[in-house]
Amino acid sequence: QQQVKQSPQSLIVQKGGISIINCAYENTAFDYFPWYQQFPGKGPALLIAIRPDVSEKKEGRFTISFNKSAKQFSLHIMDSQPGDSATYFCAARSPGFQKLVFGTGTRLLVSP
Amino acid sequence: DGGITQSPKYLFRKEGQNVTLSCEQNLNHDAMYWYRQDPGQGLRLIYYSQIVNDFQKGDIAEGYSVSREKKESFPLTVTSVQKNPTAFYLCASSSGGASGDTQYFGPGTRLTVL
């Protein structure tokens, strides 16, 4: 119930293409869904986050799509660039707690 | 310059030795966290603290200990009991509260036990 399942494990996209990473969850009490970006040897940094009362949130080239009924959310990176090559983690949080449950990560490689 | 600092960046220890990883934040955050990162397993919560002098076990607390004597500091000790301590350790902090807030991560410490 506390798991967040993330796919794919790795992804190769050509420059200019769309990168799509998917996450699914079981706990309907989760109320906050952030995405983190991590470069090798660095700590993760918040990229974008969404709450379940909206179906989509866009910030620049990054969009979260949220499907509450399917208990799924996804990250779309438009016009992917080599600088986007990193590991991306989805996460989810229960109300009343301050713990985040993380997906297992997706290693994205954007080829020039 | 606000943020979270972790030291050292790389740490080598012999098997059977305890080791303490440092985490300091000047963001005035109430909550602090320790995660362990292994390849292909994402981030797993070791311990967290919502307030000074209080902390809770996370999902993989066995073999680890923490203290929270000051708001800005949350050191993690990896004890000799920990069976496989070689990993990348990440400290994070957040402002706290029940309304879902951002966790900010430090740069991490890579611990290698020889």
Side-chain angles (χ1 to χ4, degrees):
Chain A
Q1 269 253 320
Q2 286 293 88
Q3 283 186 327
V4 176
K5 295 182 179 180
Q6 184 172 347
S7 64
Q9 187 174 11
S10 62
L11 181 62
I12 300 176
V13 173
Q14 283 194 333
K15 179 181 175 182
I18 302 173
S19 304
I20 302 174
I21 304 170
N22 301 299
C23 285
Y25 62 97
E26 291 294 325
N27 188 349
T28 55
F30 286 151
D31 69 345
Y32 175 68
F33 301 87
W35 283 90
Y36 281 84
Q37 179 188 55
Q38 184 180 30
F39 294 103
K42 306 293 185 184
L46 179 70
L47 190 62
I48 187 172
I50 198 169
R51 299 189 188 279
D53 53 346
V54 297
S55 60
E56 185 175 283
K57 183 173 182 181
K58 184 176 180 180
E59 289 185 3
R61 296 184 294 111
F62 302 92
T63 300
I64 299 179
S65 296
F66 189 86
N67 186 330
K68 190 173 182 178
S69 61
K71 291 183 284 186
Q72 295 175 347
F73 58 110
S74 59
L75 175 69
H76 296 236
I77 306 175
M78 312 300 288
D79 187 26
S80 298
Q81 300 296 313
D84 296 330
S85 298
T87 300
Y88 293 82
F89 293 94
C90 62
R93 180 188 181 280
S94 294
F97 295 90
Q98 296 180 2
K99 298 190 297 181
L100 289 175
V101 178
F102 284 86
T104 51
T106 296
R107 181 174 288 186
L108 171 66
L109 177 64
V110 180
S111 59
Chain B
D1 193 20
I4 302 174
T5 56
Q6 291 185 243
S7 61
K9 188 172 179 62
Y10 299 96
L11 188 56
F12 297 89
R13 279 294 182 269
K14 291 183 178 179
E15 193 173 335
Q17 289 182 331
N18 290 358
V19 60
T20 297
L21 281 60
S22 169
C23 177
E24 304 277 332
Q25 55 98 1
N26 61 3
L27 300 169
N28 199 32
H29 284 169
D30 286 315
M32 297 186 74
Y33 315 80
W34 274 106
Y35 293 90
R36 171 182 171 138
Q37 186 173 27
D38 296 282
Q41 294 196 47
L43 284 73
R44 293 184 291 167
L45 184 64
I46 305 172
Y47 268 97
Y48 66 106
S49 169
Q50 297 183 351
I51 197 168
V52 175
N53 292 322
D54 184 57
F55 49 83
Q56 309 295 328
K57 291 182 179 180
D59 301 318
I60 55 165
E62 185 176 353
Y64 300 97
S65 66
V66 294
S67 63
R68 187 83 188 278
E69 297 177 0
K70 298 187 294 182
K71 187 175 185 178
E72 58 271 22
S73 179
F74 191 40
L76 173 75
T77 296
V78 184
T79 74
S80 57
V81 175
Q82 170 54 231
K83 292 181 180 178
N84 185 19
T86 294
F88 190 47
Y89 290 88
L90 288 158
C91 178
S93 71
S94 67
S95 58
S99 59
D101 54 330
T102 303
Q103 288 189 18
Y104 297 88
F105 285 83
T109 291
R110 188 166 297 279
L111 172 65
T112 302
V113 175
L114 307 171

